[in-house]
């Protein structure tokens, strides 16, 4: 039996990192949406291999992706077995489209796709709350991928709230252009820089919550929600990011942001806006082969 699971990328439309916790992680308040663009994970059920006892195996079409036990797909599979005692085995095949080191949540999304695939193969061994708990243990950005809709994420990412319907409607289906320079940014590096320069970059939690509540309760478009206080540390080191984002806003009037800890950026597009001039400007600045992808918020 084969199960194929779409593994979407995500965008942080609103991201306020508010401070460092005793466990070393950061508290944040974020509005995150999955995208119509992402990876594909196929899980093929089989018996545990008799020759070496291997229960799970992973292959990926992108040689840059590690396929050993460090991959979150295999970590998720092990966590699934630990929680359910499932005796089966599976061969995973990952088609990678989400760039690495982009702040688009690719690895976290793959982990949740693996949990979903195994849940299907096992006939639904895991239910809602337990799935969220296992996802949270795998990575801060994992739980959000269980919701298939824009959500508010708090804590280090483990506390998820769905958006009021009217607020969600102002985001769902919005068109975005993703673009990433040839370099990536390490998420632990970005958080460490914030902590090293604290409190300069942290946004007070009460202020972030007030800004979010004002947008959620009003009727302003998605453009007015956009915020990301991780941009400070990323822009200080990687000057190519603010140079291009400033130019795009000046020349095209589009709302642009860094996604999460980067290095991918995005522009929130109107449905009728032409993307060709925007893409030409991005490629002129970051090279003809840099990653550019149009998508929609789910
Ligand atoms: O949870 P995840 O494995 O994605 O986090 C990667 C790293 O990013 C953590 O080890 C930590 O350094 C940093 N991080 C953080 N606070 C968060 C999320 C991530 O400090 N809320």
């Amino acid at each position: 039996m084969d199960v194929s699971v779409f593994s979407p990328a995500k965008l942080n439309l609103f991201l306020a990192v508010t401070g460092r916790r005793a466990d070393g992680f950061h508290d944040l308040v974020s509005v995150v949406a999955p995208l119509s663009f992402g990876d594909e994970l196929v899980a093929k059920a089989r018996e545990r291999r008799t020759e070496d006892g291997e229960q799970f195996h992973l292959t990926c079409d992108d040689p840059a992706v590690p396929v050993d036990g460090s991959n979150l797909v295999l970590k998720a599979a092990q966590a699934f077995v630990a929680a359910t005692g499932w005796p089966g085995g599976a061969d995973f095949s990952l088609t990678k489209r989400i760039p690495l080191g982009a702040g688009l949540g690719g690895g976290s999304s793959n982990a949740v796709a693996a949990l979903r695939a195994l849940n299907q193969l096992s006939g639904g061994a895991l239910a809602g709350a337990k799935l969220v708990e296992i996802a949270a243990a795998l990575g801060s950005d994992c739980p959000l991928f269980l919701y298939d809709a824009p959500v508010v994420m708090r804590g280090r990412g483990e506390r998820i709230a769905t958006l009021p319907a009217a607020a969600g409607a102002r985001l769902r289906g919005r068109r975005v252009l993703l673009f990433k320079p040839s370099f990536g940014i390490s998420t632990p590096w970005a958080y460490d820089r914030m902590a090293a320069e604290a409190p300069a970059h942290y946004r007070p939690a009460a202020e972030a919550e007030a800004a979010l509540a004002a947008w959620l309760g009003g009727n302003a478009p998605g453009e007015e929600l956009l915020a990301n206080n991780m941009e400070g540390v990323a822009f200080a080191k990687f000057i190519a990011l603010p140079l291009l984002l400033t130019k795009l806003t000046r020349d095209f009037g589009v709302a642009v942001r860094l996604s999460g800890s980067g290095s991918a950026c995005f522009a929130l597009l109107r449905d009728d806006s032409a993307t060709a001039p925007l893409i030409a400007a991005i490629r002129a600045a970051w090279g003809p082969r840099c990653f550019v992808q149009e998508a929609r918020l789910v």
Side-chain angles (χ1 to χ4, degrees):
M1 183 179 166
D2 278 16
V3 171
S4 179
V5 180
F6 178 60
S7 179
K10 60 85 177 163
L11 278 183
N12 298 83
L13 300 159
F14 177 93
L15 175 58
V17 179
T18 58
R20 196 172 208 186
R21 307 156 25 139
D23 64 5
F25 282 89
H26 284 79
D27 273 322
L28 46 84
V29 183
S30 185
V31 176
V32 202
L35 299 175
S36 60
F37 161 77
D39 300 336
E40 199 78 35
L41 183 70
V42 175
K44 194 187 282 280
R46 60 159 167 75
E47 298 297 306
R48 187 188 282 260
R49 281 219 300 252
T50 43
E51 67 274 24
D52 56 6
E54 190 189 56
Q55 194 167 6
F56 300 105
H57 187 78
L58 171 65
T59 55
C60 181
D61 63 337
D62 180 348
V65 174
V67 289
D68 61 7
S70 69
N71 192 297
L72 276 172
V73 167
L74 295 179
K75 287 188 177 173
Q78 296 304 341
F80 182 86
V81 168
T84 62
W86 190 58
D91 288 320
F92 292 104
S93 160
L94 177 63
T95 303
K96 197 78 200 158
R97 302 188 194 98
I98 306 171
L100 313 180
L104 293 171
S108 309
S109 176
N110 295 165
V112 172
L115 292 179
R116 287 185 149 169
L118 293 179
N119 216 20
Q120 279 190 51
L121 289 179
S122 66
L126 279 183
K130 188 71 185 164
L131 259 181
V132 176
E133 186 191 316
I134 293 173
L138 288 165
S140 309
D141 277 346
C142 289
L144 72 97
F145 286 107
L146 291 167
Y147 293 82
D148 300 321
V151 293
V152 182
M153 152 174 141
R154 293 187 176 85
R156 73 170 175 94
E158 75 281 15
R159 283 165 45 213
I160 305 284
T162 50
L163 291 186
R170 280 181 277 146
L171 298 176
R172 299 188 85 155
R174 285 292 310 259
R175 203 172 153 225
V176 293
L177 189 69
L178 313 174
F179 47 103
K180 179 188 166 287
S182 56
F183 59 85
I185 296 180
S186 144
T187 302
W189 173 85
Y191 277 107
D192 282 352
R193 287 307 310 153
M194 291 195 82
E197 294 174 18
H201 295 290
Y202 295 143
R203 187 168 178 184
E207 196 243 316
E209 290 286 2
L212 176 58
W215 187 84
L216 290 176
N219 55 17
E223 281 80 353
E224 291 183 32
L225 174 66
L226 301 190
N228 182 354
N229 70 333
M230 295 196 89
E231 287 180 344
V233 289
F235 286 8
K237 182 169 167 74
F238 302 103
I239 192 76
L241 300 172
L243 283 177
L244 178 61
L245 294 188
T246 306
K247 178 182 165 59
L248 295 180
T249 300
R250 188 190 61 217
D251 294 356
F252 302 98
V254 287
V256 285
R257 284 284 164 211
L258 184 73
S259 173
S261 56
S263 65
C265 301
F266 67 97
L268 199 51
L269 303 175
R270 291 205 324 259
D271 259 6
D272 60 354
S273 58
T275 52
L278 211 52
I279 293 172
I282 292 164
R283 295 207 184 283
W286 287 356
R289 284 188 305 279
C290 78
F291 171 85
V292 180
Q293 176 68 48
E294 200 179 318
R296 286 190 186 268
L297 305 183
V298 168

